[in-house]
Amino acid sequence: MTAELSLRDEIQSVLQEFRSSLGAASTEKELNDLRVHALGKNGKLTGLSKRLGKLPADERKEAGQLVNQAKSEAERGIDEKRQHLAREALQAELDSEWLDVTLDSRGGAIGNLHPVTQIQNEIEDVFISMGFEVLDGPQVETDHYNFEALNIPADHPARDMQDTFYLEDGNLLRTHTSSIQVRGMTHLKPPFKIIGPGKAFRCERIDASHETSFHQLEGMMVDRDINLAHLIYFKQTLLSRIFGREQVTRLRPGYFPFVEPGLELDIQCQICVGKGCAVCKYSGWIELLPSGMVHPNVLRAGNIDPEEFSGFAFGLGLDRLVMMRYGIEDIRHLHRADLRFIEQFG
Ligand code: 2NL
């Protein structure tokens, strides 16, 4: 009788202690400690179970039930408290991250592309529609891709006019986007039609029409029996697509080391319609599109046999084109990253 009573009392006191600890527990760790303390291998309730065996048989049954009830109350209590803590943590997180999705937005500023990027995209679209591929290439180039392969050896006078920025390892900032096309020629098998738009660099004295970095878009077509007639057709198509109507143009011979023969295409000055003004330096014409038939040495440098294939190539200065289209008098506006300027082209 005494043994049963004392076990009953002990169960009650263990349970009481357990309940108050459970009420006080506020973290996962405290709950785990409590579980070990009550139900672990050396836990208090576990200890009580172990003593059941020593009770007389007639007392064992009732005492066993009491211990088991206590154990399941402890299990359930810990589980419920754990769920309660998890709900509380979630609610606290939701409260702290609350946001009102019905609030008006601040009306984010939607930017616009730079006018040079816009014109580059437009011209790319014109050439893509004629079956050209758009290539890219590195702005830091080797002497080979920028000069040697373009028929401009180290002692060529053209190098004086294309002074640029050199890196300590001998590489340089490309002086034209032609290097993109040289890389293209060495990787593609003719026939192909490619354009290479991008930035180019020169060591210039900066003024209203010269900058140390500028934008070009060059193109080339290589196939069997390509001749000047193909070149002139593509030029004319390009111009009427850019300006929206046929332009009065003239062709004259021009010299570039990487073409033979070389051509300059001028368009009639839009400002004075050929009469002569400050913009066209009183000539009535504006140089727009240098071009020519790719020089056999350049074809060879691109692993193309000039006996079998020929091609035309051309260059377009994008900054100049933007300036003409919008009547911008100073190239430096294009490089200033001044939003008051760029926003006008949105
Ligand atoms: C310029 C560029 C021209 C080309 C560029 C070219 C490119 C290769 C082969 C042959 Cl890979 N030609 N591009 C052709 C003719 C003129 O002008 O800087 N003009 C001011």
Side-chain angles (χ1 to χ4, degrees):
M1 233 19 209
T2 13
E4 192 216 332
L5 258 184
S6 78
L7 193 62
R8 184 194 289 265
D9 290 345
E10 273 190 61
I11 293 172
Q12 280 312 320
S13 90
V14 168
L15 263 184
Q16 229 150 40
E17 190 202 336
F18 172 81
R19 288 179 188 133
S20 74
S21 303
L22 185 64
S26 62
T27 66
E28 183 76 11
K29 174 167 189 324
E30 281 167 1
L31 281 183
N32 282 335
D33 290 348
L34 187 56
R35 176 189 291 282
V36 171
H37 185 71
L39 299 160
K41 221 165 83 185
N42 299 314
K44 290 222 165 139
L45 289 172
T46 319
L48 293 179
S49 307
K50 283 179 188 160
R51 277 165 46 196
L52 288 172
K54 294 192 184 111
L55 290 180
D58 56 336
E59 294 169 12
R60 210 181 285 152
K61 188 171 172 216
E62 197 193 338
Q65 280 175 348
L66 286 174
V67 174
N68 282 341
Q69 276 167 12
K71 276 180 164 177
S72 49
E73 179 185 330
E75 294 274 7
R76 207 172 46 244
I78 289 174
D79 279 352
E80 281 170 2
K81 181 79 185 217
R82 176 170 285 129
Q83 287 171 24
H84 175 74
L85 287 180
R87 271 196 304 275
E88 265 186 358
L90 179 63
Q91 193 56 48
E93 202 177 315
L94 288 175
D95 288 346
S96 72
E97 291 177 3
W98 184 86
L99 82 118
D100 184 352
V101 292
T102 67
L103 268 183
D104 272 348
S105 76
R106 301 226 180 113
I110 298 175
N112 60 271
L113 294 178
H114 191 282
V116 171
T117 311
Q118 291 184 28
I119 220 160
Q120 179 181 323
N121 290 348
E122 276 175 43
I123 298 174
E124 282 181 15
D125 286 347
V126 172
F127 279 103
I128 289 169
S129 78
M130 295 193 280
F132 281 70
E133 244 181 288
V134 183
L135 302 187
D136 200 359
Q139 296 180 356
V140 174
E141 260 302 359
T142 62
D143 187 88
H144 172 80
Y145 283 117
N146 195 80
F147 290 126
E148 286 287 338
L150 283 157
N151 207 26
I152 312 174
D155 58 359
H156 197 287
R159 290 217 182 193
D160 284 347
M161 289 175 287
Q162 300 197 18
D163 191 15
T164 182
F165 303 94
Y166 286 85
L167 279 72
E168 274 169 7
D169 61 8
N171 290 334
L172 48 91
L173 297 189
R174 69 183 180 205
T175 60
H176 39 213
T177 48
S178 313
S179 51
I180 301 178
Q181 306 193 85
V182 179
R183 287 176 179 271
M185 283 194 294
T186 54
H187 291 107
L188 299 169
K189 281 209 171 340
F192 56 78
K193 295 184 286 217
I194 55 177
I195 55 170
K199 266 191 201 302
F201 307 85
R202 291 197 192 163
C203 185
E204 292 275 5
R205 180 177 289 274
I206 295 173
D207 63 25
S209 48
H210 297 87
E211 257 287 4
T212 51
S213 77
F214 52 101
H215 302 85
Q216 286 189 328
L217 186 150
E218 288 200 13
M220 103 177 351
M221 172 175 189
V222 176
D223 200 342
R224 293 188 168 81
D225 302 323
I226 295 294
N227 58 47
L228 280 178
H230 299 101
L231 170 57
I232 292 166
Y233 167 79
F234 275 95
K235 279 184 174 194
Q236 214 58 46
T237 308
L238 175 65
L239 289 178
S240 46
R241 293 278 287 273
I242 293 177
F243 292 99
R245 58 187 155 83
E246 292 267 310
Q247 293 293 308
V248 182
T249 58
R250 70 174 184 188
L251 274 176
R252 60 196 164 84
Y255 173 75
F256 305 98
F258 25 86
V259 287
E260 179 58 36
L263 295 176
E264 290 277 10
L265 177 137
D266 305 329
I267 61 167
Q268 196 175 58
C269 178
Q270 317 250 335
I271 311 291
C272 63
V273 200
K275 291 197 179 65
C277 67
V279 172
C280 60
K281 300 201 182 89
Y282 302 96
S283 71
W285 296 97
I286 289 185
E287 273 181 35
L288 191 72
L289 238 174
S291 64
M293 301 304 296
V294 182
H295 196 290
N297 289 348
V298 178
L299 287 174
R300 270 191 285 269
N303 294 326
I304 294 168
D305 179 2
E307 300 295 328
E308 193 180 353
F309 294 101
S310 55
F312 67 75
F314 58 87
L316 250 182
L318 297 180
D319 311 79
R320 168 88 89 76
L321 217 50
V322 168
M323 291 168 74
M324 283 178 47
R325 174 186 270 186
Y326 297 108
I328 298 164
E329 78 293 351
D330 194 321
I331 193 173
R332 287 169 288 196
H333 287 306
L334 298 178
H335 294 262
R336 233 167 236 156
D338 184 338
L339 283 181
R340 290 169 304 176
F341 171 78
I342 299 172
E343 279 170 354
Q344 297 177 68
F345 307 94

